[in-house]
mmCIF file of all heavy atoms in Angstrom:
data_model
loop_
_atom_site.group_PDB
_atom_site.id
_atom_site.type_symbol
_atom_site.label_atom_id
_atom_site.label_comp_id
_atom_site.label_asym_id
_atom_site.label_seq_id
_atom_site.Cartn_x
_atom_site.Cartn_y
_atom_site.Cartn_z
ATOM 1 N N ALA A 15 46.916 42.021 -25.350
ATOM 2 C CA ALA A 15 46.895 41.136 -26.513
ATOM 3 C C ALA A 15 48.118 40.226 -26.529
ATOM 4 O O ALA A 15 48.022 39.036 -26.846
ATOM 5 C CB ALA A 15 46.818 41.959 -27.798
ATOM 6 N N ARG A 16 49.285 40.773 -26.152
ATOM 7 C CA ARG A 16 50.505 39.972 -26.127
ATOM 8 C C ARG A 16 50.414 38.881 -25.067
ATOM 9 O O ARG A 16 50.778 37.720 -25.310
ATOM 10 C CB ARG A 16 51.718 40.859 -25.882
ATOM 11 C CG ARG A 16 53.037 40.100 -26.001
ATOM 12 C CD ARG A 16 54.253 40.991 -25.804
ATOM 13 N NE ARG A 16 54.372 41.453 -24.419
ATOM 14 C CZ ARG A 16 54.140 42.687 -24.014
ATOM 15 N NH1 ARG A 16 53.747 43.614 -24.889
ATOM 16 N NH2 ARG A 16 54.275 43.033 -22.757
ATOM 17 N N LEU A 17 49.928 39.245 -23.877
ATOM 18 C CA LEU A 17 49.751 38.239 -22.832
ATOM 19 C C LEU A 17 48.805 37.137 -23.281
ATOM 20 O O LEU A 17 49.067 35.943 -23.089
ATOM 21 C CB LEU A 17 49.201 38.899 -21.559
ATOM 22 C CG LEU A 17 50.145 39.759 -20.716
ATOM 23 C CD1 LEU A 17 49.387 40.320 -19.522
ATOM 24 C CD2 LEU A 17 51.344 38.953 -20.264
ATOM 25 N N PHE A 18 47.708 37.543 -23.892
ATOM 26 C CA PHE A 18 46.686 36.595 -24.338
ATOM 27 C C PHE A 18 47.238 35.641 -25.396
ATOM 28 O O PHE A 18 47.065 34.415 -25.308
ATOM 29 C CB PHE A 18 45.494 37.387 -24.874
ATOM 30 C CG PHE A 18 44.509 36.568 -25.653
ATOM 31 C CD1 PHE A 18 43.693 35.643 -25.013
ATOM 32 C CD2 PHE A 18 44.377 36.722 -27.025
ATOM 33 C CE1 PHE A 18 42.781 34.883 -25.733
ATOM 34 C CE2 PHE A 18 43.467 35.984 -27.743
ATOM 35 C CZ PHE A 18 42.674 35.058 -27.106
ATOM 36 N N LEU A 19 47.917 36.171 -26.407
ATOM 37 C CA LEU A 19 48.406 35.333 -27.513
ATOM 38 C C LEU A 19 49.527 34.399 -27.060
ATOM 39 O O LEU A 19 49.561 33.226 -27.463
ATOM 40 C CB LEU A 19 48.874 36.213 -28.665
ATOM 41 C CG LEU A 19 47.768 36.989 -29.404
ATOM 42 C CD1 LEU A 19 48.373 37.920 -30.447
ATOM 43 C CD2 LEU A 19 46.778 36.032 -30.059
ATOM 44 N N THR A 20 50.456 34.893 -26.236
ATOM 45 C CA THR A 20 51.551 34.030 -25.790
ATOM 46 C C THR A 20 51.029 32.884 -24.925
ATOM 47 O O THR A 20 51.478 31.743 -25.070
ATOM 48 C CB THR A 20 52.600 34.834 -25.007
ATOM 49 O OG1 THR A 20 51.958 35.560 -23.940
ATOM 50 C CG2 THR A 20 53.317 35.810 -25.931
ATOM 51 N N ARG A 21 50.068 33.176 -24.053
ATOM 52 C CA ARG A 21 49.503 32.109 -23.220
ATOM 53 C C ARG A 21 48.670 31.133 -24.042
ATOM 54 O O ARG A 21 48.719 29.921 -23.826
ATOM 55 C CB ARG A 21 48.679 32.709 -22.086
ATOM 56 C CG ARG A 21 49.549 33.244 -20.951
ATOM 57 C CD ARG A 21 48.823 34.253 -20.092
ATOM 58 N NE ARG A 21 49.616 34.638 -18.937
ATOM 59 C CZ ARG A 21 50.690 35.435 -18.977
ATOM 60 N NH1 ARG A 21 51.080 35.941 -20.148
ATOM 61 N NH2 ARG A 21 51.359 35.729 -17.881
ATOM 62 N N THR A 22 47.909 31.658 -24.997
ATOM 63 C CA THR A 22 47.075 30.787 -25.835
ATOM 64 C C THR A 22 47.929 29.800 -26.621
ATOM 65 O O THR A 22 47.685 28.581 -26.605
ATOM 66 C CB THR A 22 46.235 31.635 -26.803
ATOM 67 O OG1 THR A 22 45.287 32.407 -26.052
ATOM 68 C CG2 THR A 22 45.482 30.751 -27.792
ATOM 69 N N PHE A 23 48.935 30.307 -27.312
ATOM 70 C CA PHE A 23 49.739 29.412 -28.148
ATOM 71 C C PHE A 23 50.700 28.571 -27.306
ATOM 72 O O PHE A 23 51.094 27.473 -27.736
ATOM 73 C CB PHE A 23 50.489 30.222 -29.207
ATOM 74 C CG PHE A 23 49.589 30.724 -30.298
ATOM 75 C CD1 PHE A 23 49.188 32.051 -30.337
ATOM 76 C CD2 PHE A 23 49.120 29.860 -31.272
ATOM 77 C CE1 PHE A 23 48.343 32.516 -31.333
ATOM 78 C CE2 PHE A 23 48.265 30.310 -32.267
ATOM 79 C CZ PHE A 23 47.880 31.631 -32.310
ATOM 80 N N GLY A 24 51.066 29.042 -26.132
ATOM 81 C CA GLY A 24 51.848 28.208 -25.219
ATOM 82 C C GLY A 24 51.041 27.012 -24.743
ATOM 83 O O GLY A 24 51.531 25.872 -24.721
ATOM 84 N N ILE A 25 49.782 27.258 -24.348
ATOM 85 C CA ILE A 25 48.900 26.168 -23.925
ATOM 86 C C ILE A 25 48.636 25.225 -25.096
ATOM 87 O O ILE A 25 48.619 23.994 -24.938
ATOM 88 C CB ILE A 25 47.584 26.734 -23.369
ATOM 89 C CG1 ILE A 25 47.837 27.449 -22.042
ATOM 90 C CG2 ILE A 25 46.544 25.629 -23.191
ATOM 91 C CD1 ILE A 25 46.647 28.222 -21.522
ATOM 92 N N LEU A 26 48.427 25.788 -26.297
ATOM 93 C CA LEU A 26 48.187 24.960 -27.476
ATOM 94 C C LEU A 26 49.371 24.034 -27.746
ATOM 95 O O LEU A 26 49.188 22.844 -28.038
ATOM 96 C CB LEU A 26 47.925 25.845 -28.693
ATOM 97 C CG LEU A 26 47.699 25.109 -30.019
ATOM 98 C CD1 LEU A 26 46.433 24.256 -29.960
ATOM 99 C CD2 LEU A 26 47.612 26.106 -31.174
ATOM 100 N N ALA A 27 50.592 24.567 -27.643
ATOM 101 C CA ALA A 27 51.777 23.752 -27.884
ATOM 102 C C ALA A 27 51.851 22.594 -26.890
ATOM 103 O O ALA A 27 52.164 21.451 -27.258
ATOM 104 C CB ALA A 27 53.034 24.616 -27.792
ATOM 105 N N GLY A 28 51.554 22.864 -25.620
ATOM 106 C CA GLY A 28 51.568 21.802 -24.614
ATOM 107 C C GLY A 28 50.509 20.747 -24.873
ATOM 108 O O GLY A 28 50.781 19.539 -24.791
ATOM 109 N N LEU A 29 49.285 21.193 -25.200
ATOM 110 C CA LEU A 29 48.207 20.244 -25.494
ATOM 111 C C LEU A 29 48.534 19.381 -26.700
ATOM 112 O O LEU A 29 48.331 18.163 -26.684
ATOM 113 C CB LEU A 29 46.901 21.012 -25.736
ATOM 114 C CG LEU A 29 46.181 21.587 -24.522
ATOM 115 C CD1 LEU A 29 44.976 22.418 -24.966
ATOM 116 C CD2 LEU A 29 45.719 20.470 -23.594
ATOM 117 N N VAL A 30 49.021 20.008 -27.760
ATOM 118 C CA VAL A 30 49.324 19.272 -28.990
ATOM 119 C C VAL A 30 50.420 18.251 -28.737
ATOM 120 O O VAL A 30 50.347 17.109 -29.219
ATOM 121 C CB VAL A 30 49.728 20.249 -30.120
ATOM 122 C CG1 VAL A 30 50.319 19.492 -31.302
ATOM 123 C CG2 VAL A 30 48.518 21.055 -30.562
ATOM 124 N N LEU A 31 51.447 18.632 -27.978
ATOM 125 C CA LEU A 31 52.548 17.715 -27.691
ATOM 126 C C LEU A 31 52.050 16.472 -26.952
ATOM 127 O O LEU A 31 52.374 15.335 -27.317
ATOM 128 C CB LEU A 31 53.614 18.434 -26.864
ATOM 129 C CG LEU A 31 54.881 17.638 -26.548
ATOM 130 C CD1 LEU A 31 55.622 17.289 -27.829
ATOM 131 C CD2 LEU A 31 55.789 18.432 -25.611
ATOM 132 N N VAL A 32 51.231 16.676 -25.929
ATOM 133 C CA VAL A 32 50.728 15.552 -25.131
ATOM 134 C C VAL A 32 49.764 14.695 -25.948
ATOM 135 O O VAL A 32 49.870 13.456 -25.985
ATOM 136 C CB VAL A 32 50.049 16.067 -23.845
ATOM 137 C CG1 VAL A 32 49.361 14.930 -23.106
ATOM 138 C CG2 VAL A 32 51.062 16.743 -22.945
ATOM 139 N N LEU A 33 48.808 15.333 -26.628
ATOM 140 C CA LEU A 33 47.791 14.589 -27.364
ATOM 141 C C LEU A 33 48.377 13.853 -28.565
ATOM 142 O O LEU A 33 47.952 12.739 -28.878
ATOM 143 C CB LEU A 33 46.684 15.547 -27.813
ATOM 144 C CG LEU A 33 45.864 16.153 -26.662
ATOM 145 C CD1 LEU A 33 44.964 17.263 -27.183
ATOM 146 C CD2 LEU A 33 45.027 15.076 -25.980
ATOM 147 N N GLN A 34 49.360 14.480 -29.234
ATOM 148 C CA GLN A 34 49.993 13.796 -30.356
ATOM 149 C C GLN A 34 50.767 12.568 -29.882
ATOM 150 O O GLN A 34 50.756 11.519 -30.541
ATOM 151 C CB GLN A 34 50.930 14.752 -31.091
ATOM 152 C CG GLN A 34 51.644 14.138 -32.283
ATOM 153 C CD GLN A 34 50.708 13.762 -33.399
ATOM 154 O OE1 GLN A 34 50.310 14.591 -34.211
ATOM 155 N NE2 GLN A 34 50.333 12.492 -33.461
ATOM 156 N N ALA A 35 51.426 12.681 -28.734
ATOM 157 C CA ALA A 35 52.156 11.536 -28.182
ATOM 158 C C ALA A 35 51.202 10.396 -27.831
ATOM 159 O O ALA A 35 51.463 9.225 -28.137
ATOM 160 C CB ALA A 35 52.951 11.966 -26.949
ATOM 161 N N LEU A 36 50.063 10.722 -27.203
ATOM 162 C CA LEU A 36 49.084 9.695 -26.848
ATOM 163 C C LEU A 36 48.484 9.052 -28.095
ATOM 164 O O LEU A 36 48.298 7.827 -28.159
ATOM 165 C CB LEU A 36 47.978 10.303 -25.980
ATOM 166 C CG LEU A 36 48.404 10.786 -24.580
ATOM 167 C CD1 LEU A 36 47.244 11.488 -23.893
ATOM 168 C CD2 LEU A 36 48.897 9.615 -23.742
ATOM 169 N N ASP A 37 48.183 9.881 -29.104
ATOM 170 C CA ASP A 37 47.608 9.355 -30.340
ATOM 171 C C ASP A 37 48.616 8.460 -31.062
ATOM 172 O O ASP A 37 48.256 7.418 -31.611
ATOM 173 C CB ASP A 37 47.187 10.515 -31.239
ATOM 174 C CG ASP A 37 46.541 10.048 -32.531
ATOM 175 O OD1 ASP A 37 45.427 9.498 -32.456
ATOM 176 O OD2 ASP A 37 47.153 10.215 -33.598
ATOM 177 N N LEU A 38 49.875 8.859 -31.044
ATOM 178 C CA LEU A 38 50.906 8.075 -31.730
ATOM 179 C C LEU A 38 51.111 6.729 -31.047
ATOM 180 O O LEU A 38 51.398 5.722 -31.720
ATOM 181 C CB LEU A 38 52.212 8.871 -31.756
ATOM 182 C CG LEU A 38 53.314 8.360 -32.691
ATOM 183 C CD1 LEU A 38 52.811 8.339 -34.124
ATOM 184 C CD2 LEU A 38 54.549 9.247 -32.589
ATOM 185 N N LEU A 39 50.955 6.681 -29.715
ATOM 186 C CA LEU A 39 51.088 5.413 -29.006
ATOM 187 C C LEU A 39 50.045 4.402 -29.473
ATOM 188 O O LEU A 39 50.322 3.201 -29.560
ATOM 189 C CB LEU A 39 50.945 5.646 -27.499
ATOM 190 C CG LEU A 39 52.150 6.261 -26.780
ATOM 191 C CD1 LEU A 39 51.801 6.552 -25.328
ATOM 192 C CD2 LEU A 39 53.354 5.331 -26.857
ATOM 193 N N SER A 40 48.840 4.875 -29.785
ATOM 194 C CA SER A 40 47.768 3.972 -30.204
ATOM 195 C C SER A 40 47.852 3.589 -31.679
ATOM 196 O O SER A 40 47.335 2.548 -32.075
ATOM 197 C CB SER A 40 46.406 4.617 -29.923
ATOM 198 O OG SER A 40 46.226 5.780 -30.718
ATOM 199 N N GLU A 41 48.508 4.414 -32.513
ATOM 200 C CA GLU A 41 48.531 4.159 -33.946
ATOM 201 C C GLU A 41 49.868 3.638 -34.464
ATOM 202 O O GLU A 41 49.908 3.041 -35.544
ATOM 203 C CB GLU A 41 48.185 5.453 -34.705
ATOM 204 C CG GLU A 41 46.763 5.931 -34.492
ATOM 205 C CD GLU A 41 45.726 4.976 -35.058
ATOM 206 O OE1 GLU A 41 45.961 4.415 -36.145
ATOM 207 O OE2 GLU A 41 44.685 4.783 -34.406
ATOM 208 N N SER A 42 50.944 3.873 -33.740
ATOM 209 C CA SER A 42 52.262 3.487 -34.260
ATOM 210 C C SER A 42 52.370 1.981 -34.473
ATOM 211 O O SER A 42 53.028 1.526 -35.424
ATOM 212 C CB SER A 42 53.362 3.965 -33.311
ATOM 213 O OG SER A 42 53.177 3.432 -32.001
ATOM 214 N N GLY A 43 51.720 1.192 -33.609
ATOM 215 C CA GLY A 43 51.751 -0.254 -33.782
ATOM 216 C C GLY A 43 51.111 -0.685 -35.099
ATOM 217 O O GLY A 43 51.622 -1.576 -35.790
ATOM 218 N N LYS A 44 49.988 -0.053 -35.463
ATOM 219 C CA LYS A 44 49.318 -0.380 -36.720
ATOM 220 C C LYS A 44 50.176 0.018 -37.920
ATOM 221 O O LYS A 44 50.206 -0.684 -38.929
ATOM 222 C CB LYS A 44 47.964 0.334 -36.787
ATOM 223 C CG LYS A 44 47.002 -0.032 -35.675
ATOM 224 C CD LYS A 44 45.729 0.784 -35.771
ATOM 225 C CE LYS A 44 44.803 0.516 -34.595
ATOM 226 N NZ LYS A 44 43.571 1.359 -34.653
ATOM 227 N N ILE A 45 50.846 1.170 -37.800
ATOM 228 C CA ILE A 45 51.677 1.650 -38.913
ATOM 229 C C ILE A 45 52.869 0.721 -39.122
ATOM 230 O O ILE A 45 53.167 0.299 -40.243
ATOM 231 C CB ILE A 45 52.154 3.090 -38.641
ATOM 232 C CG1 ILE A 45 50.951 4.041 -38.552
ATOM 233 C CG2 ILE A 45 53.102 3.557 -39.731
ATOM 234 C CD1 ILE A 45 51.302 5.430 -38.079
#
Side-chain angles (χ1 to χ4, degrees):
R16 186 178 69 252
L17 286 179
F18 167 71
L19 292 175
T20 53
R21 282 159 174 74
T22 294
F23 287 104
I25 291 171
L26 178 64
L29 285 175
V30 168
L31 184 63
V32 172
L33 294 170
Q34 180 66 82
L36 293 174
D37 182 68
L38 193 59
L39 284 174
S40 65
E41 294 295 321
S42 58
K44 300 176 185 178
I45 297 171

